[in-house]
Amino acid sequence: MSHKTIEQIGKLRKSLKAVILAHNYQRSEVQDIADFTGDSLELSRKAAGTDAEVIVFCGVHFMAETAKILSPEKTVLLPDKKAGCPMADMITLEQLEKEKAKYPGVQVVCYVNSTAAVKAGSDICCTSANAVRVVERVKKNRPILFVPDQYLGHYAMARTGIEMHLWPGYCPTHVKIEVADVRRQKTRYPDSKVVVHPECRPDVIDEADEALSTSGIIRYARSYQGRTLIVGTENGILHRLRKENPAVEYVPVTQRSICPNMKRITLEKVLWSMEKMQPRIEIPETIRQRALAAVERMLEL
Ligand code: 13P
Ligand code: SF4
């Protein structure tokens, strides 16, 4: 079944002039058929730069929305429209506007894990790969509000020493990674380094050797000299790590860190979506224009 599905996806990819983009947390078989696999920053750059007519986005809703913000003339397909990001849904534009009113002159730094409407109400976006750089670049004489991830915001604050107001959002998958899990794995693999994602809780980040974006973790592993590496993020990343650099043994901090939304995309849904040209991402033009300004300010850095 899978072999036939892959063949049909390949044919449609050509006839539709489609590009298939997959996030590093996707199912192994979905990553394997993608034209490009990456982190949020890399995927948004790809979406902005491709000359394909159709983008099949294997990830979650905000990622496909970012592709549409950058490439409004292209058809952007998200093979399962229920593949959302609970963290992105932890703040609405109305809530953001109320919060902004509390801090006159505020500048909003918005993690891309947010809706297009929230991006539209923000000054600049960031991803986990460039949050520290973005925060360093915003004006220091005005208050800064960081939304929606309190933990990425806390991490950027700790790394830059710049005070920010943090919206209390979080990733339900990364908060499952606990400091006790890290310590247990360190006892089991004492010679191993620990790399985690900056969406993890601060005590988990403090216990780790590095906090990196998903592609940052993959690059770190390429030059890693040890035999075993302990990895604290969504476990879909293990597939790419093992495929690209099999000399190292990768050990998840915990088996619990699985994002059910990322796993909604299957090969069958990719095929169905390309056949039907559904579900399409659409964004009202006024929202898109304002969200684009925030995303472009990030990409210009
Ligand atoms: P990256 O940008 O590091 O790939 O992270 C995206 C994400 O959703 C993390 O939960
Ligand atoms: Fe959202 Fe967390 Fe899933 Fe990333 S891992 S898509 S932040 S719920």
Tab-separated table of all heavy atoms in Angstrom, residues 28-78:
chain	number	residue	atom	x	y	z
A	28	SER	N	8.299	9.371	10.304
A	28	SER	CA	9.489	9.010	9.508
A	28	SER	C	9.155	8.897	8.023
A	28	SER	O	9.860	9.432	7.169
A	28	SER	CB	10.054	7.674	9.982
A	28	SER	OG	10.196	7.674	11.364
A	29	GLU	N	8.041	8.201	7.717
A	29	GLU	CA	7.726	7.946	6.299
A	29	GLU	C	7.329	9.229	5.571
A	29	GLU	O	7.523	9.334	4.356
A	29	GLU	CB	6.646	6.857	6.163
A	29	GLU	CG	5.282	7.156	6.773
A	29	GLU	CD	5.170	6.843	8.270
A	29	GLU	OE1	6.211	6.732	8.954
A	29	GLU	OE2	4.033	6.739	8.768
A	30	VAL	N	6.825	10.204	6.309
A	30	VAL	CA	6.479	11.494	5.700
A	30	VAL	C	7.771	12.299	5.453
A	30	VAL	O	7.969	12.880	4.383
A	30	VAL	CB	5.457	12.268	6.574
A	30	VAL	CG1	5.226	13.671	6.036
A	30	VAL	CG2	4.139	11.494	6.651
A	31	GLN	N	8.661	12.297	6.434
A	31	GLN	CA	9.961	12.966	6.243
A	31	GLN	C	10.663	12.398	5.014
A	31	GLN	O	11.276	13.127	4.236
A	31	GLN	CB	10.867	12.764	7.457
A	31	GLN	CG	10.391	13.447	8.718
A	31	GLN	CD	11.450	13.422	9.825
A	31	GLN	OE1	12.654	13.434	9.570
A	31	GLN	NE2	11.011	13.393	11.073
A	32	ASP	N	10.549	11.074	4.836
A	32	ASP	CA	11.291	10.411	3.753
A	32	ASP	C	10.808	10.782	2.352
A	32	ASP	O	11.571	10.668	1.401
A	32	ASP	CB	11.255	8.882	3.939
A	32	ASP	CG	12.122	8.443	5.111
A	32	ASP	OD1	12.948	9.257	5.573
A	32	ASP	OD2	11.968	7.292	5.578
A	33	ILE	N	9.558	11.200	2.212
A	33	ILE	CA	9.089	11.561	0.863
A	33	ILE	C	9.170	13.074	0.608
A	33	ILE	O	8.846	13.546	-0.485
A	33	ILE	CB	7.636	11.068	0.567
A	33	ILE	CG1	6.658	11.587	1.625
A	33	ILE	CG2	7.584	9.547	0.459
A	33	ILE	CD1	5.698	12.619	1.129
A	34	ALA	N	9.576	13.835	1.629
A	34	ALA	CA	9.578	15.299	1.480
A	34	ALA	C	10.722	15.766	0.579
A	34	ALA	O	11.769	15.110	0.497
A	34	ALA	CB	9.699	15.945	2.855
A	35	ASP	N	10.511	16.901	-0.089
A	35	ASP	CA	11.605	17.515	-0.855
A	35	ASP	C	12.567	18.210	0.087
A	35	ASP	O	13.739	18.375	-0.203
A	35	ASP	CB	11.041	18.566	-1.831
A	35	ASP	CG	10.152	17.909	-2.855
A	35	ASP	OD1	10.684	17.168	-3.684
A	35	ASP	OD2	8.919	18.105	-2.791
A	36	PHE	N	12.019	18.665	1.212
A	36	PHE	CA	12.864	19.375	2.172
A	36	PHE	C	12.309	19.164	3.571
A	36	PHE	O	11.108	19.234	3.790
A	36	PHE	CB	12.869	20.878	1.829
A	36	PHE	CG	13.784	21.652	2.722
A	36	PHE	CD1	15.162	21.661	2.511
A	36	PHE	CD2	13.286	22.338	3.820
A	36	PHE	CE1	16.017	22.353	3.364
A	36	PHE	CE2	14.132	23.030	4.682
A	36	PHE	CZ	15.505	23.043	4.437
A	37	THR	N	13.203	18.880	4.509
A	37	THR	CA	12.820	18.708	5.921
A	37	THR	C	13.596	19.744	6.726
A	37	THR	O	14.795	19.933	6.474
A	37	THR	CB	13.184	17.289	6.401
A	37	THR	OG1	12.651	16.369	5.459
A	37	THR	CG2	12.607	16.968	7.756
A	38	GLY	N	12.949	20.408	7.665
A	38	GLY	CA	13.699	21.424	8.413
A	38	GLY	C	12.973	21.930	9.634
A	38	GLY	O	11.917	21.416	10.016
A	39	ASP	N	13.570	22.978	10.248
A	39	ASP	CA	12.920	23.630	11.392
A	39	ASP	C	12.032	24.770	10.874
A	39	ASP	O	11.982	25.027	9.658
A	39	ASP	CB	13.953	24.098	12.439
A	39	ASP	CG	14.872	25.234	11.967
A	39	ASP	OD1	14.644	25.796	10.882
A	39	ASP	OD2	15.827	25.549	12.704
A	40	SER	N	11.370	25.462	11.769
A	40	SER	CA	10.398	26.477	11.336
A	40	SER	C	11.048	27.579	10.503
A	40	SER	O	10.463	28.049	9.531
A	40	SER	CB	9.737	27.131	12.550
A	40	SER	OG	9.097	26.178	13.315
A	41	LEU	N	12.239	27.997	10.900
A	41	LEU	CA	12.906	29.084	10.170
A	41	LEU	C	13.288	28.624	8.760
A	41	LEU	O	13.012	29.310	7.774
A	41	LEU	CB	14.146	29.555	10.947
A	41	LEU	CG	14.887	30.744	10.352
A	41	LEU	CD1	13.983	31.977	10.296
A	41	LEU	CD2	16.143	31.086	11.168
A	42	GLU	N	13.879	27.454	8.666
A	42	GLU	CA	14.275	26.927	7.346
A	42	GLU	C	13.055	26.715	6.461
A	42	GLU	O	13.090	27.011	5.262
A	42	GLU	CB	15.008	25.594	7.512
A	42	GLU	CG	16.352	25.725	8.185
A	42	GLU	CD	16.946	24.363	8.544
A	42	GLU	OE1	16.186	23.399	8.767
A	42	GLU	OE2	18.175	24.270	8.608
A	43	LEU	N	11.977	26.202	7.038
A	43	LEU	CA	10.777	25.936	6.236
A	43	LEU	C	10.159	27.237	5.739
A	43	LEU	O	9.681	27.303	4.608
A	43	LEU	CB	9.758	25.114	7.040
A	43	LEU	CG	10.186	23.668	7.355
A	43	LEU	CD1	9.228	23.031	8.356
A	43	LEU	CD2	10.247	22.806	6.095
A	44	SER	N	10.202	28.296	6.559
A	44	SER	CA	9.626	29.552	6.073
A	44	SER	C	10.510	30.143	4.981
A	44	SER	O	9.998	30.706	4.013
A	44	SER	CB	9.325	30.537	7.202
A	44	SER	OG	10.411	30.694	8.037
A	45	ARG	N	11.817	29.994	5.100
A	45	ARG	CA	12.699	30.478	4.018
A	45	ARG	C	12.443	29.704	2.729
A	45	ARG	O	12.405	30.273	1.647
A	45	ARG	CB	14.171	30.339	4.422
A	45	ARG	CG	14.598	31.334	5.483
A	45	ARG	CD	16.124	31.438	5.578
A	45	ARG	NE	16.573	32.131	6.774
A	45	ARG	CZ	16.573	33.462	6.913
A	45	ARG	NH1	16.158	34.226	5.944
A	45	ARG	NH2	16.992	34.012	8.045
A	46	LYS	N	12.270	28.389	2.846
A	46	LYS	CA	11.975	27.563	1.663
A	46	LYS	C	10.665	27.996	1.024
A	46	LYS	O	10.561	28.124	-0.190
A	46	LYS	CB	11.837	26.083	2.055
A	46	LYS	CG	13.150	25.373	2.154
A	46	LYS	CD	13.658	24.936	0.787
A	46	LYS	CE	15.146	24.649	0.926
A	46	LYS	NZ	15.877	24.556	-0.312
A	47	ALA	N	9.644	28.195	1.881
A	47	ALA	CA	8.325	28.581	1.365
A	47	ALA	C	8.414	29.920	0.633
A	47	ALA	O	7.741	30.137	-0.380
A	47	ALA	CB	7.326	28.670	2.514
A	48	ALA	N	9.280	30.823	1.137
A	48	ALA	CA	9.405	32.140	0.494
A	48	ALA	C	10.162	32.016	-0.829
A	48	ALA	O	9.913	32.766	-1.763
A	48	ALA	CB	10.134	33.097	1.427
A	49	GLY	N	11.072	31.042	-0.933
A	49	GLY	CA	11.981	30.985	-2.080
A	49	GLY	C	11.586	30.028	-3.200
A	49	GLY	O	12.125	30.115	-4.297
A	50	THR	N	10.634	29.154	-2.974
A	50	THR	CA	10.356	28.118	-3.980
A	50	THR	C	9.595	28.674	-5.196
A	50	THR	O	8.810	29.616	-5.069
A	50	THR	CB	9.532	26.959	-3.359
A	50	THR	OG1	9.282	26.007	-4.377
A	50	THR	CG2	8.202	27.421	-2.789
A	51	ASP	N	9.852	28.082	-6.387
A	51	ASP	CA	9.036	28.497	-7.539
A	51	ASP	C	7.947	27.452	-7.849
A	51	ASP	O	7.296	27.506	-8.888
A	51	ASP	CB	9.903	28.831	-8.767
A	51	ASP	CG	10.885	27.724	-9.073
A	51	ASP	OD1	10.674	26.607	-8.570
A	51	ASP	OD2	11.854	27.979	-9.824
A	52	ALA	N	7.730	26.529	-6.924
A	52	ALA	CA	6.636	25.550	-7.089
A	52	ALA	C	5.291	26.283	-7.072
A	52	ALA	O	5.184	27.387	-6.529
A	52	ALA	CB	6.685	24.544	-5.946
A	53	GLU	N	4.281	25.656	-7.684
A	53	GLU	CA	2.955	26.305	-7.690
A	53	GLU	C	2.113	25.895	-6.477
A	53	GLU	O	1.196	26.580	-6.079
A	53	GLU	CB	2.215	25.950	-8.990
A	53	GLU	CG	2.842	26.679	-10.165
A	53	GLU	CD	2.326	26.231	-11.507
A	53	GLU	OE1	1.262	25.576	-11.576
A	53	GLU	OE2	3.007	26.552	-12.503
A	54	VAL	N	2.459	24.720	-5.929
A	54	VAL	CA	1.700	24.183	-4.792
A	54	VAL	C	2.698	23.808	-3.685
A	54	VAL	O	3.724	23.188	-3.968
A	54	VAL	CB	0.913	22.917	-5.220
A	54	VAL	CG1	0.182	22.282	-4.047
A	54	VAL	CG2	-0.068	23.247	-6.349
A	55	ILE	N	2.382	24.220	-2.461
A	55	ILE	CA	3.205	23.807	-1.312
A	55	ILE	C	2.363	22.835	-0.488
A	55	ILE	O	1.271	23.189	-0.028
A	55	ILE	CB	3.625	25.012	-0.440
A	55	ILE	CG1	4.500	25.991	-1.243
A	55	ILE	CG2	4.361	24.541	0.813
A	55	ILE	CD1	4.857	27.283	-0.492
A	56	VAL	N	2.851	21.600	-0.344
A	56	VAL	CA	2.171	20.637	0.529
A	56	VAL	C	2.923	20.695	1.847
A	56	VAL	O	4.099	20.332	1.911
A	56	VAL	CB	2.206	19.209	-0.055
A	56	VAL	CG1	1.399	18.256	0.823
A	56	VAL	CG2	1.696	19.199	-1.486
A	57	PHE	N	2.254	21.220	2.880
A	57	PHE	CA	2.948	21.448	4.131
A	57	PHE	C	2.671	20.322	5.118
A	57	PHE	O	1.553	20.186	5.607
A	57	PHE	CB	2.552	22.804	4.741
A	57	PHE	CG	3.715	23.401	5.467
A	57	PHE	CD1	4.364	24.517	4.996
A	57	PHE	CD2	4.212	22.793	6.601
A	57	PHE	CE1	5.472	25.034	5.633
A	57	PHE	CE2	5.329	23.293	7.253
A	57	PHE	CZ	5.957	24.422	6.768
A	58	CYS	N	3.693	19.535	5.401
A	58	CYS	CA	3.562	18.456	6.383
A	58	CYS	C	4.097	18.992	7.702
A	58	CYS	O	5.314	18.973	7.955
A	58	CYS	CB	4.325	17.213	5.927
A	58	CYS	SG	3.783	16.649	4.307
A	59	GLY	N	3.188	19.526	8.481
A	59	GLY	CA	3.552	20.162	9.756
A	59	GLY	C	2.253	20.530	10.430
A	59	GLY	O	1.250	19.829	10.266
A	60	VAL	N	2.241	21.647	11.166
A	60	VAL	CA	0.998	22.077	11.802
A	60	VAL	C	0.520	23.402	11.200
A	60	VAL	O	1.229	24.041	10.432
A	60	VAL	CB	1.135	22.156	13.347
A	60	VAL	CG1	1.263	20.768	13.949
A	60	VAL	CG2	2.310	23.039	13.754
A	61	HIS	N	-0.710	23.775	11.582
A	61	HIS	CA	-1.423	24.863	10.899
A	61	HIS	C	-0.613	26.161	10.801
A	61	HIS	O	-0.536	26.767	9.734
A	61	HIS	CB	-2.758	25.094	11.619
A	61	HIS	CG	-3.694	25.953	10.851
A	61	HIS	ND1	-3.774	27.314	11.062
A	61	HIS	CD2	-4.554	25.668	9.858
A	61	HIS	CE1	-4.669	27.819	10.229
A	61	HIS	NE2	-5.159	26.841	9.487
A	62	PHE	N	0.036	26.599	11.928
A	62	PHE	CA	0.719	27.899	11.861
A	62	PHE	C	1.861	27.871	10.852
A	62	PHE	O	2.202	28.895	10.264
A	62	PHE	CB	1.214	28.347	13.255
A	62	PHE	CG	2.466	27.638	13.739
A	62	PHE	CD1	3.723	28.038	13.332
A	62	PHE	CD2	2.369	26.575	14.625
A	62	PHE	CE1	4.873	27.394	13.790
A	62	PHE	CE2	3.507	25.919	15.079
A	62	PHE	CZ	4.765	26.329	14.655
A	63	MET	N	2.465	26.708	10.631
A	63	MET	CA	3.577	26.616	9.683
A	63	MET	C	3.064	26.784	8.246
A	63	MET	O	3.659	27.496	7.433
A	63	MET	CB	4.294	25.268	9.824
A	63	MET	CG	4.944	25.087	11.180
A	63	MET	SD	5.747	23.489	11.338
A	63	MET	CE	6.517	23.699	12.939
A	64	ALA	N	1.940	26.121	7.960
A	64	ALA	CA	1.345	26.247	6.630
A	64	ALA	C	0.852	27.682	6.425
A	64	ALA	O	0.976	28.247	5.328
A	64	ALA	CB	0.200	25.250	6.492
A	65	GLU	N	0.332	28.277	7.492
A	65	GLU	CA	-0.130	29.671	7.412
A	65	GLU	C	1.044	30.600	7.102
A	65	GLU	O	0.915	31.523	6.291
A	65	GLU	CB	-0.754	30.063	8.758
A	65	GLU	CG	-2.168	30.497	8.656
A	65	GLU	CD	-2.740	30.946	10.000
A	65	GLU	OE1	-2.003	31.206	10.971
A	65	GLU	OE2	-3.960	31.039	10.066
A	66	THR	N	2.190	30.343	7.731
A	66	THR	CA	3.370	31.182	7.470
A	66	THR	C	3.772	31.067	6.000
A	66	THR	O	4.152	32.056	5.361
A	66	THR	CB	4.541	30.782	8.405
A	66	THR	OG1	4.061	30.817	9.743
A	66	THR	CG2	5.735	31.717	8.274
A	67	ALA	N	3.669	29.843	5.448
A	67	ALA	CA	3.982	29.653	4.017
A	67	ALA	C	3.019	30.486	3.165
A	67	ALA	O	3.438	31.137	2.198
A	67	ALA	CB	3.880	28.173	3.661
A	68	LYS	N	1.751	30.511	3.525
A	68	LYS	CA	0.757	31.277	2.757
A	68	LYS	C	0.995	32.784	2.911
A	68	LYS	O	0.833	33.543	1.948
A	68	LYS	CB	-0.661	30.898	3.220
A	68	LYS	CG	-1.770	31.490	2.387
A	68	LYS	CD	-1.831	30.902	0.990
A	68	LYS	CE	-2.931	31.519	0.153
A	68	LYS	NZ	-2.952	30.994	-1.219
A	69	ILE	N	1.393	33.200	4.120
A	69	ILE	CA	1.695	34.625	4.350
A	69	ILE	C	2.799	35.068	3.386
A	69	ILE	O	2.739	36.136	2.789
A	69	ILE	CB	2.140	34.853	5.828
A	69	ILE	CG1	0.947	34.675	6.782
A	69	ILE	CG2	2.796	36.218	6.021
A	69	ILE	CD1	1.316	34.583	8.260
A	70	LEU	N	3.784	34.195	3.208
A	70	LEU	CA	4.940	34.534	2.373
A	70	LEU	C	4.688	34.312	0.883
A	70	LEU	O	5.316	34.955	0.050
A	70	LEU	CB	6.155	33.692	2.811
A	70	LEU	CG	6.757	34.113	4.155
A	70	LEU	CD1	7.583	32.991	4.743
A	70	LEU	CD2	7.606	35.369	3.995
A	71	SER	N	3.795	33.391	0.548
A	71	SER	CA	3.563	33.041	-0.863
A	71	SER	C	2.070	33.018	-1.175
A	71	SER	O	1.492	31.959	-1.416
A	71	SER	CB	4.156	31.651	-1.155
A	71	SER	OG	5.521	31.636	-0.886
A	72	PRO	N	1.416	34.187	-1.156
A	72	PRO	CA	-0.048	34.218	-1.304
A	72	PRO	C	-0.530	33.709	-2.660
A	72	PRO	O	-1.666	33.261	-2.792
A	72	PRO	CB	-0.385	35.708	-1.136
A	72	PRO	CG	0.881	36.443	-1.412
A	72	PRO	CD	1.992	35.543	-1.001
A	73	GLU	N	0.345	33.768	-3.679
A	73	GLU	CA	-0.067	33.351	-5.031
A	73	GLU	C	-0.035	31.827	-5.165
A	73	GLU	O	-0.571	31.285	-6.134
A	73	GLU	CB	0.840	34.028	-6.090
A	73	GLU	CG	2.276	33.519	-6.199
A	73	GLU	CD	3.192	33.780	-4.979
A	73	GLU	OE1	2.804	34.522	-4.059
A	73	GLU	OE2	4.298	33.200	-4.943
A	74	LYS	N	0.559	31.137	-4.207
A	74	LYS	CA	0.653	29.678	-4.297
A	74	LYS	C	-0.513	29.023	-3.538
A	74	LYS	O	-1.057	29.604	-2.612
A	74	LYS	CB	1.969	29.196	-3.682
A	74	LYS	CG	3.194	29.726	-4.412
A	74	LYS	CD	4.431	29.054	-3.888
A	74	LYS	CE	5.697	29.818	-4.210
A	74	LYS	NZ	5.853	30.290	-5.569
A	75	THR	N	-0.821	27.800	-3.972
A	75	THR	CA	-1.794	27.014	-3.204
A	75	THR	C	-1.017	26.331	-2.085
A	75	THR	O	-0.028	25.644	-2.349
A	75	THR	CB	-2.449	25.953	-4.105
A	75	THR	OG1	-3.095	26.645	-5.182
A	75	THR	CG2	-3.457	25.114	-3.354
A	76	VAL	N	-1.453	26.539	-0.847
A	76	VAL	CA	-0.785	25.873	0.283
A	76	VAL	C	-1.763	24.855	0.871
A	76	VAL	O	-2.877	25.197	1.272
A	76	VAL	CB	-0.331	26.886	1.361
A	76	VAL	CG1	0.314	26.158	2.538
A	76	VAL	CG2	0.644	27.905	0.771
A	77	LEU	N	-1.334	23.604	0.880
A	77	LEU	CA	-2.170	22.516	1.394
A	77	LEU	C	-1.622	22.028	2.730
A	77	LEU	O	-0.409	21.842	2.876
A	77	LEU	CB	-2.163	21.338	0.411
A	77	LEU	CG	-2.636	21.616	-1.022
A	77	LEU	CD1	-2.406	20.387	-1.899
A	77	LEU	CD2	-4.118	22.013	-1.026
A	78	LEU	N	-2.533	21.837	3.693
A	78	LEU	CA	-2.179	21.200	4.972
A	78	LEU	C	-2.974	19.893	4.984
A	78	LEU	O	-4.210	19.925	5.100
A	78	LEU	CB	-2.586	22.105	6.145
A	78	LEU	CG	-2.361	21.543	7.542
A	78	LEU	CD1	-0.873	21.369	7.853
A	78	LEU	CD2	-2.982	22.465	8.608
